[in-house]
């Protein structure tokens, strides 16, 4: 399965800073295995191409995909400038994704990075993404 690369939000691509005032949601996100992210999704691959993550503002879904046959994806995210989630390891299997259903206000945003890991060993990371929840 091949995932297409998707551009990040303009403010991030141009080095701008987005500022929003909204509390982070206290509810824990729900997760489910899924085939592939929707077309309106902002993110990219780890530098070696082995992991992919993107955020879909409609419904506030963070997608984490395994695009390397010998490794697994790891994502680290923060909502509205809050605490980082820590390196969350996912094992959807090569060519598959995990859909993380978040709860972010339309005035909010998410920051995230994706990495490719072999067991507990870091292989390759990505740049930092910041995406508005209102699309």
């Amino acid at each position: 399965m091949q995932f297409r690369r998707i551009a990040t939000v303009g403010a991030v691509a141009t080095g701008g800073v987005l500022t929003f005032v909204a509390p982070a949601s206290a509810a824990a996100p729900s997760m489910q295995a899924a085939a592939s992210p929707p077309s309106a999704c902002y993110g990219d691959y780890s530098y070696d191409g082995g992991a992919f993550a993107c955020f879909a503002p409609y419904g506030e879904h963070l997608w984490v995909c395994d695009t390397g046959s010998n490794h697994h994806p790891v994502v680290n995210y923060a909502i509205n400038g809050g605490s980082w989630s820590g390196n969350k390891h996912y094992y959807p299997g090569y060519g598959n994704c995990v859909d993380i259903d978040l709860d972010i206000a339309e005035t909010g945003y998410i920051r995230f990075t994706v990495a490719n890991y072999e067991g507990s060993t870091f292989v390759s990371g990505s740049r930092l993404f910041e995406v508005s929840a209102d699309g």
Side-chain angles (χ1 to χ4, degrees):
M1 176 178 285
Q2 185 175 10
F3 301 101
R4 60 187 174 84
R5 294 188 118 162
I6 302 162
T8 57
V9 175
V12 175
T14 60
V17 176
L18 299 175
T19 303
F20 299 94
V21 179
S25 172
S30 64
M31 293 177 288
Q32 64 182 6
S36 62
S39 58
C41 199
Y42 303 93
D44 210 344
Y45 292 86
S46 59
Y47 292 123
D48 70 349
F52 176 82
C54 69
F55 178 72
Y58 182 75
E60 300 92 38
H61 292 261
L62 180 61
W63 293 79
V64 183
C65 305
D66 186 348
T67 55
S69 61
N70 295 324
H71 308 300
H72 67 275
V74 172
V75 70
N76 194 8
Y77 64 90
I79 298 171
N80 299 329
S83 299
W84 286 94
S85 64
N87 288 331
K88 302 286 185 176
H89 291 248
Y90 297 97
Y91 302 89
Y94 177 65
N96 295 307
C97 301
V98 173
D99 173 7
I100 306 167
D101 187 2
L102 301 169
D103 185 17
I104 305 172
E106 293 295 313
T107 58
Y109 67 98
I110 185 172
R111 289 184 180 146
F112 66 94
T113 62
V114 65
N116 193 12
Y117 270 71
E118 173 65 37
S120 62
T121 304
F122 173 83
V123 175
S124 176
S126 74
R127 59 193 169 114
L128 175 68
F129 298 95
E130 184 172 293
V131 183
S132 169
D134 72 359

mmCIF file of all heavy atoms in Angstrom, residues 37-74:
data_model
loop_
_atom_site.group_PDB
_atom_site.id
_atom_site.type_symbol
_atom_site.label_atom_id
_atom_site.label_comp_id
_atom_site.label_asym_id
_atom_site.label_seq_id
_atom_site.Cartn_x
_atom_site.Cartn_y
_atom_site.Cartn_z
ATOM 1 N N PRO A 37 -5.591 6.686 5.455
ATOM 2 C CA PRO A 37 -6.132 7.985 5.854
ATOM 3 C C PRO A 37 -6.970 8.610 4.737
ATOM 4 O O PRO A 37 -6.832 8.264 3.574
ATOM 5 C CB PRO A 37 -4.883 8.817 6.133
ATOM 6 C CG PRO A 37 -3.755 8.109 5.525
ATOM 7 C CD PRO A 37 -4.149 6.692 5.330
ATOM 8 N N PRO A 38 -7.828 9.584 5.100
ATOM 9 C CA PRO A 38 -8.624 10.277 4.083
ATOM 10 C C PRO A 38 -7.761 11.218 3.252
ATOM 11 O O PRO A 38 -6.612 11.506 3.606
ATOM 12 C CB PRO A 38 -9.643 11.051 4.923
ATOM 13 C CG PRO A 38 -8.950 11.281 6.217
ATOM 14 C CD PRO A 38 -8.095 10.059 6.436
ATOM 15 N N SER A 39 -8.302 11.730 2.171
ATOM 16 C CA SER A 39 -7.528 12.607 1.288
ATOM 17 C C SER A 39 -7.217 13.960 1.934
ATOM 18 O O SER A 39 -6.185 14.544 1.651
ATOM 19 C CB SER A 39 -8.260 12.810 -0.033
ATOM 20 O OG SER A 39 -9.536 13.357 0.201
ATOM 21 N N ALA A 40 -8.086 14.477 2.796
ATOM 22 C CA ALA A 40 -7.838 15.752 3.475
ATOM 23 C C ALA A 40 -7.107 15.488 4.784
ATOM 24 O O ALA A 40 -7.683 15.486 5.858
ATOM 25 C CB ALA A 40 -9.142 16.478 3.722
ATOM 26 N N CYS A 41 -5.820 15.244 4.675
ATOM 27 C CA CYS A 41 -4.998 14.867 5.822
ATOM 28 C C CYS A 41 -3.642 15.548 5.687
ATOM 29 O O CYS A 41 -3.061 15.544 4.602
ATOM 30 C CB CYS A 41 -4.848 13.337 5.804
ATOM 31 S SG CYS A 41 -4.342 12.608 7.346
ATOM 32 N N TYR A 42 -3.128 16.153 6.774
ATOM 33 C CA TYR A 42 -1.896 16.927 6.719
ATOM 34 C C TYR A 42 -0.803 16.239 7.522
ATOM 35 O O TYR A 42 -0.943 16.044 8.724
ATOM 36 C CB TYR A 42 -2.139 18.340 7.273
ATOM 37 C CG TYR A 42 -3.233 19.050 6.525
ATOM 38 C CD1 TYR A 42 -4.550 19.006 6.975
ATOM 39 C CD2 TYR A 42 -2.951 19.734 5.347
ATOM 40 C CE1 TYR A 42 -5.564 19.647 6.283
ATOM 41 C CE2 TYR A 42 -3.960 20.376 4.651
ATOM 42 C CZ TYR A 42 -5.260 20.329 5.121
ATOM 43 O OH TYR A 42 -6.259 20.954 4.427
ATOM 44 N N GLY A 43 0.295 15.880 6.870
ATOM 45 C CA GLY A 43 1.405 15.208 7.524
ATOM 46 C C GLY A 43 2.408 14.723 6.494
ATOM 47 O O GLY A 43 2.431 15.211 5.372
ATOM 48 N N ASP A 44 3.206 13.740 6.871
ATOM 49 C CA ASP A 44 4.227 13.246 5.962
ATOM 50 C C ASP A 44 4.864 11.984 6.524
ATOM 51 O O ASP A 44 4.500 11.522 7.600
ATOM 52 C CB ASP A 44 5.299 14.315 5.761
ATOM 53 C CG ASP A 44 5.970 14.247 4.400
ATOM 54 O OD1 ASP A 44 5.856 13.216 3.706
ATOM 55 O OD2 ASP A 44 6.627 15.234 4.033
ATOM 56 N N TYR A 45 5.849 11.482 5.809
ATOM 57 C CA TYR A 45 6.602 10.289 6.186
ATOM 58 C C TYR A 45 7.767 10.631 7.108
ATOM 59 O O TYR A 45 8.248 11.764 7.124
ATOM 60 C CB TYR A 45 7.180 9.625 4.935
ATOM 61 C CG TYR A 45 6.156 9.012 4.029
ATOM 62 C CD1 TYR A 45 5.517 9.770 3.063
ATOM 63 C CD2 TYR A 45 5.825 7.673 4.147
ATOM 64 C CE1 TYR A 45 4.576 9.205 2.224
ATOM 65 C CE2 TYR A 45 4.876 7.097 3.310
ATOM 66 C CZ TYR A 45 4.263 7.869 2.351
ATOM 67 O OH TYR A 45 3.329 7.307 1.529
ATOM 68 N N SER A 46 8.269 9.627 7.833
ATOM 69 C CA SER A 46 9.558 9.763 8.505
ATOM 70 C C SER A 46 10.590 9.921 7.395
ATOM 71 O O SER A 46 10.333 9.569 6.235
ATOM 72 C CB SER A 46 9.853 8.531 9.367
ATOM 73 O OG SER A 46 9.871 7.358 8.573
ATOM 74 N N TYR A 47 11.751 10.429 7.714
ATOM 75 C CA TYR A 47 12.758 10.707 6.688
ATOM 76 C C TYR A 47 13.156 9.475 5.885
ATOM 77 O O TYR A 47 13.486 9.580 4.712
ATOM 78 C CB TYR A 47 13.992 11.375 7.297
ATOM 79 C CG TYR A 47 13.694 12.774 7.786
ATOM 80 C CD1 TYR A 47 13.922 13.129 9.108
ATOM 81 C CD2 TYR A 47 13.160 13.731 6.936
ATOM 82 C CE1 TYR A 47 13.638 14.411 9.562
ATOM 83 C CE2 TYR A 47 12.867 15.009 7.376
ATOM 84 C CZ TYR A 47 13.113 15.350 8.682
ATOM 85 O OH TYR A 47 12.824 16.622 9.126
ATOM 86 N N ASP A 48 13.105 8.291 6.474
ATOM 87 C CA ASP A 48 13.456 7.070 5.727
ATOM 88 C C ASP A 48 12.260 6.436 5.034
ATOM 89 O O ASP A 48 12.385 5.418 4.374
ATOM 90 C CB ASP A 48 14.145 6.050 6.634
ATOM 91 C CG ASP A 48 13.204 5.429 7.650
ATOM 92 O OD1 ASP A 48 12.069 5.912 7.821
ATOM 93 O OD2 ASP A 48 13.610 4.443 8.288
ATOM 94 N N GLY A 49 11.071 7.017 5.189
ATOM 95 C CA GLY A 49 9.873 6.514 4.533
ATOM 96 C C GLY A 49 9.206 5.341 5.227
ATOM 97 O O GLY A 49 8.218 4.815 4.737
ATOM 98 N N GLY A 50 9.690 4.922 6.387
ATOM 99 C CA GLY A 50 9.156 3.747 7.061
ATOM 100 C C GLY A 50 7.946 3.963 7.932
ATOM 101 O O GLY A 50 7.309 3.004 8.362
ATOM 102 N N ALA A 51 7.596 5.224 8.200
ATOM 103 C CA ALA A 51 6.428 5.536 9.025
ATOM 104 C C ALA A 51 5.747 6.770 8.440
ATOM 105 O O ALA A 51 6.402 7.630 7.844
ATOM 106 C CB ALA A 51 6.842 5.800 10.464
ATOM 107 N N PHE A 52 4.447 6.839 8.589
ATOM 108 C CA PHE A 52 3.664 7.952 8.054
ATOM 109 C C PHE A 52 2.640 8.361 9.098
ATOM 110 O O PHE A 52 2.048 7.500 9.758
ATOM 111 C CB PHE A 52 2.939 7.500 6.773
ATOM 112 C CG PHE A 52 2.030 8.542 6.182
ATOM 113 C CD1 PHE A 52 2.536 9.539 5.369
ATOM 114 C CD2 PHE A 52 0.668 8.521 6.427
ATOM 115 C CE1 PHE A 52 1.702 10.499 4.806
ATOM 116 C CE2 PHE A 52 -0.183 9.472 5.877
ATOM 117 C CZ PHE A 52 0.336 10.459 5.059
ATOM 118 N N ALA A 53 2.429 9.666 9.254
ATOM 119 C CA ALA A 53 1.373 10.166 10.132
ATOM 120 C C ALA A 53 0.769 11.407 9.506
ATOM 121 O O ALA A 53 1.465 12.192 8.858
ATOM 122 C CB ALA A 53 1.903 10.487 11.520
ATOM 123 N N CYS A 54 -0.529 11.561 9.699
ATOM 124 C CA CYS A 54 -1.183 12.773 9.225
ATOM 125 C C CYS A 54 -2.410 13.048 10.084
ATOM 126 O O CYS A 54 -2.959 12.146 10.710
ATOM 127 C CB CYS A 54 -1.539 12.677 7.746
ATOM 128 S SG CYS A 54 -2.839 11.509 7.347
ATOM 129 N N PHE A 55 -2.807 14.308 10.090
ATOM 130 C CA PHE A 55 -3.959 14.741 10.873
ATOM 131 C C PHE A 55 -5.063 15.191 9.928
ATOM 132 O O PHE A 55 -4.834 16.002 9.029
ATOM 133 C CB PHE A 55 -3.573 15.896 11.800
ATOM 134 C CG PHE A 55 -4.722 16.431 12.605
ATOM 135 C CD1 PHE A 55 -5.252 15.692 13.653
ATOM 136 C CD2 PHE A 55 -5.273 17.661 12.313
ATOM 137 C CE1 PHE A 55 -6.324 16.173 14.394
ATOM 138 C CE2 PHE A 55 -6.335 18.161 13.050
ATOM 139 C CZ PHE A 55 -6.866 17.412 14.096
ATOM 140 N N ALA A 56 -6.250 14.649 10.110
ATOM 141 C CA ALA A 56 -7.429 15.033 9.337
ATOM 142 C C ALA A 56 -8.292 15.942 10.213
ATOM 143 O O ALA A 56 -8.874 15.466 11.194
ATOM 144 C CB ALA A 56 -8.210 13.796 8.909
ATOM 145 N N PRO A 57 -8.360 17.228 9.906
ATOM 146 C CA PRO A 57 -9.132 18.156 10.736
ATOM 147 C C PRO A 57 -10.611 17.802 10.853
ATOM 148 O O PRO A 57 -11.197 17.979 11.902
ATOM 149 C CB PRO A 57 -8.961 19.504 10.033
ATOM 150 C CG PRO A 57 -7.717 19.368 9.240
ATOM 151 C CD PRO A 57 -7.662 17.926 8.821
ATOM 152 N N TYR A 58 -11.202 17.296 9.771
ATOM 153 C CA TYR A 58 -12.614 16.931 9.830
ATOM 154 C C TYR A 58 -12.767 15.704 10.724
ATOM 155 O O TYR A 58 -12.335 14.611 10.373
ATOM 156 C CB TYR A 58 -13.164 16.644 8.428
ATOM 157 C CG TYR A 58 -14.633 16.309 8.441
ATOM 158 C CD1 TYR A 58 -15.581 17.308 8.621
ATOM 159 C CD2 TYR A 58 -15.062 15.002 8.308
ATOM 160 C CE1 TYR A 58 -16.932 17.014 8.661
ATOM 161 C CE2 TYR A 58 -16.416 14.692 8.341
ATOM 162 C CZ TYR A 58 -17.343 15.700 8.516
ATOM 163 O OH TYR A 58 -18.674 15.399 8.562
ATOM 164 N N GLY A 59 -13.310 15.900 11.893
ATOM 165 C CA GLY A 59 -13.468 14.814 12.857
ATOM 166 C C GLY A 59 -12.286 14.649 13.790
ATOM 167 O O GLY A 59 -12.319 13.833 14.693
ATOM 168 N N GLU A 60 -11.209 15.401 13.569
ATOM 169 C CA GLU A 60 -9.993 15.378 14.399
ATOM 170 C C GLU A 60 -9.417 13.974 14.555
ATOM 171 O O GLU A 60 -9.411 13.404 15.647
ATOM 172 C CB GLU A 60 -10.227 15.996 15.789
ATOM 173 C CG GLU A 60 -10.665 17.431 15.777
ATOM 174 C CD GLU A 60 -12.174 17.575 15.773
ATOM 175 O OE1 GLU A 60 -12.861 16.787 16.436
ATOM 176 O OE2 GLU A 60 -12.667 18.488 15.087
ATOM 177 N N HIS A 61 -8.938 13.421 13.454
ATOM 178 C CA HIS A 61 -8.334 12.091 13.460
ATOM 179 C C HIS A 61 -6.854 12.189 13.150
ATOM 180 O O HIS A 61 -6.453 12.838 12.183
ATOM 181 C CB HIS A 61 -8.997 11.179 12.420
ATOM 182 C CG HIS A 61 -10.394 10.835 12.763
ATOM 183 N ND1 HIS A 61 -10.731 9.640 13.364
ATOM 184 C CD2 HIS A 61 -11.559 11.518 12.615
ATOM 185 C CE1 HIS A 61 -12.032 9.598 13.561
ATOM 186 N NE2 HIS A 61 -12.555 10.729 13.119
ATOM 187 N N LEU A 62 -6.028 11.543 13.976
ATOM 188 C CA LEU A 62 -4.596 11.419 13.732
ATOM 189 C C LEU A 62 -4.359 10.001 13.223
ATOM 190 O O LEU A 62 -4.697 9.024 13.903
ATOM 191 C CB LEU A 62 -3.798 11.667 15.017
ATOM 192 C CG LEU A 62 -2.280 11.565 14.905
ATOM 193 C CD1 LEU A 62 -1.721 12.591 13.920
ATOM 194 C CD2 LEU A 62 -1.641 11.744 16.278
ATOM 195 N N TRP A 63 -3.810 9.883 12.033
ATOM 196 C CA TRP A 63 -3.543 8.585 11.406
ATOM 197 C C TRP A 63 -2.068 8.261 11.529
ATOM 198 O O TRP A 63 -1.218 9.103 11.264
ATOM 199 C CB TRP A 63 -3.934 8.630 9.933
ATOM 200 C CG TRP A 63 -5.394 8.766 9.720
ATOM 201 C CD1 TRP A 63 -6.143 9.912 9.824
ATOM 202 C CD2 TRP A 63 -6.300 7.728 9.386
ATOM 203 N NE1 TRP A 63 -7.455 9.633 9.569
ATOM 204 C CE2 TRP A 63 -7.577 8.308 9.293
ATOM 205 C CE3 TRP A 63 -6.148 6.362 9.146
ATOM 206 C CZ2 TRP A 63 -8.695 7.561 8.974
ATOM 207 C CZ3 TRP A 63 -7.278 5.630 8.822
ATOM 208 C CH2 TRP A 63 -8.531 6.226 8.742
ATOM 209 N N VAL A 64 -1.748 7.046 11.932
ATOM 210 C CA VAL A 64 -0.375 6.570 12.067
ATOM 211 C C VAL A 64 -0.265 5.289 11.253
ATOM 212 O O VAL A 64 -1.001 4.334 11.508
ATOM 213 C CB VAL A 64 -0.015 6.304 13.550
ATOM 214 C CG1 VAL A 64 1.429 5.886 13.675
ATOM 215 C CG2 VAL A 64 -0.302 7.537 14.397
ATOM 216 N N CYS A 65 0.644 5.282 10.267
ATOM 217 C CA CYS A 65 0.716 4.165 9.326
ATOM 218 C C CYS A 65 2.107 3.534 9.295
ATOM 219 O O CYS A 65 3.113 4.229 9.403
ATOM 220 C CB CYS A 65 0.359 4.641 7.926
ATOM 221 S SG CYS A 65 -1.247 5.464 7.836
ATOM 222 N N ASP A 66 2.118 2.230 9.136
ATOM 223 C CA ASP A 66 3.357 1.452 9.020
ATOM 224 C C ASP A 66 3.688 1.297 7.541
ATOM 225 O O ASP A 66 3.000 0.587 6.815
ATOM 226 C CB ASP A 66 3.164 0.079 9.671
ATOM 227 C CG ASP A 66 4.434 -0.740 9.721
ATOM 228 O OD1 ASP A 66 5.421 -0.366 9.065
ATOM 229 O OD2 ASP A 66 4.425 -1.769 10.421
ATOM 230 N N THR A 67 4.722 1.984 7.083
ATOM 231 C CA THR A 67 5.110 1.937 5.677
ATOM 232 C C THR A 67 6.484 1.290 5.471
ATOM 233 O O THR A 67 7.029 1.329 4.380
ATOM 234 C CB THR A 67 5.103 3.358 5.066
ATOM 235 O OG1 THR A 67 5.936 4.200 5.855
ATOM 236 C CG2 THR A 67 3.693 3.920 5.039
ATOM 237 N N GLY A 68 7.024 0.701 6.529
ATOM 238 C CA GLY A 68 8.302 -0.004 6.449
ATOM 239 C C GLY A 68 8.136 -1.434 6.931
ATOM 240 O O GLY A 68 7.675 -1.684 8.030
ATOM 241 N N SER A 69 8.505 -2.387 6.117
ATOM 242 C CA SER A 69 8.213 -3.792 6.425
ATOM 243 C C SER A 69 8.941 -4.354 7.644
ATOM 244 O O SER A 69 8.501 -5.340 8.213
ATOM 245 C CB SER A 69 8.500 -4.668 5.204
ATOM 246 O OG SER A 69 9.865 -4.564 4.842
ATOM 247 N N ASN A 70 10.040 -3.743 8.077
ATOM 248 C CA ASN A 70 10.799 -4.305 9.201
ATOM 249 C C ASN A 70 10.714 -3.483 10.476
ATOM 250 O O ASN A 70 11.376 -3.799 11.450
ATOM 251 C CB ASN A 70 12.271 -4.461 8.818
ATOM 252 C CG ASN A 70 12.460 -5.473 7.722
ATOM 253 O OD1 ASN A 70 11.754 -6.469 7.675
ATOM 254 N ND2 ASN A 70 13.397 -5.214 6.835
ATOM 255 N N HIS A 71 9.936 -2.441 10.477
ATOM 256 C CA HIS A 71 9.884 -1.532 11.623
ATOM 257 C C HIS A 71 8.434 -1.233 11.986
ATOM 258 O O HIS A 71 7.524 -1.809 11.414
ATOM 259 C CB HIS A 71 10.629 -0.239 11.290
ATOM 260 C CG HIS A 71 12.019 -0.464 10.783
ATOM 261 N ND1 HIS A 71 12.997 -1.098 11.511
ATOM 262 C CD2 HIS A 71 12.590 -0.164 9.597
ATOM 263 C CE1 HIS A 71 14.116 -1.159 10.805
ATOM 264 N NE2 HIS A 71 13.896 -0.606 9.629
ATOM 265 N N HIS A 72 8.243 -0.309 12.927
ATOM 266 C CA HIS A 72 6.891 0.111 13.293
ATOM 267 C C HIS A 72 6.873 1.617 13.561
ATOM 268 O O HIS A 72 7.894 2.202 13.916
ATOM 269 C CB HIS A 72 6.375 -0.675 14.506
ATOM 270 C CG HIS A 72 7.112 -0.378 15.771
ATOM 271 N ND1 HIS A 72 8.284 -1.001 16.119
ATOM 272 C CD2 HIS A 72 6.839 0.494 16.761
ATOM 273 C CE1 HIS A 72 8.709 -0.531 17.270
ATOM 274 N NE2 HIS A 72 7.845 0.379 17.692
ATOM 275 N N PRO A 73 5.712 2.259 13.395
ATOM 276 C CA PRO A 73 5.619 3.695 13.590
ATOM 277 C C PRO A 73 5.439 4.086 15.059
ATOM 278 O O PRO A 73 4.853 3.348 15.842
ATOM 279 C CB PRO A 73 4.385 4.084 12.780
ATOM 280 C CG PRO A 73 3.526 2.869 12.825
ATOM 281 C CD PRO A 73 4.465 1.698 12.851
ATOM 282 N N VAL A 74 5.952 5.270 15.358
ATOM 283 C CA VAL A 74 5.817 5.874 16.681
ATOM 284 C C VAL A 74 5.395 7.322 16.462
ATOM 285 O O VAL A 74 5.943 8.008 15.598
ATOM 286 C CB VAL A 74 7.156 5.815 17.451
ATOM 287 C CG1 VAL A 74 7.081 6.614 18.735
ATOM 288 C CG2 VAL A 74 7.543 4.374 17.731
#
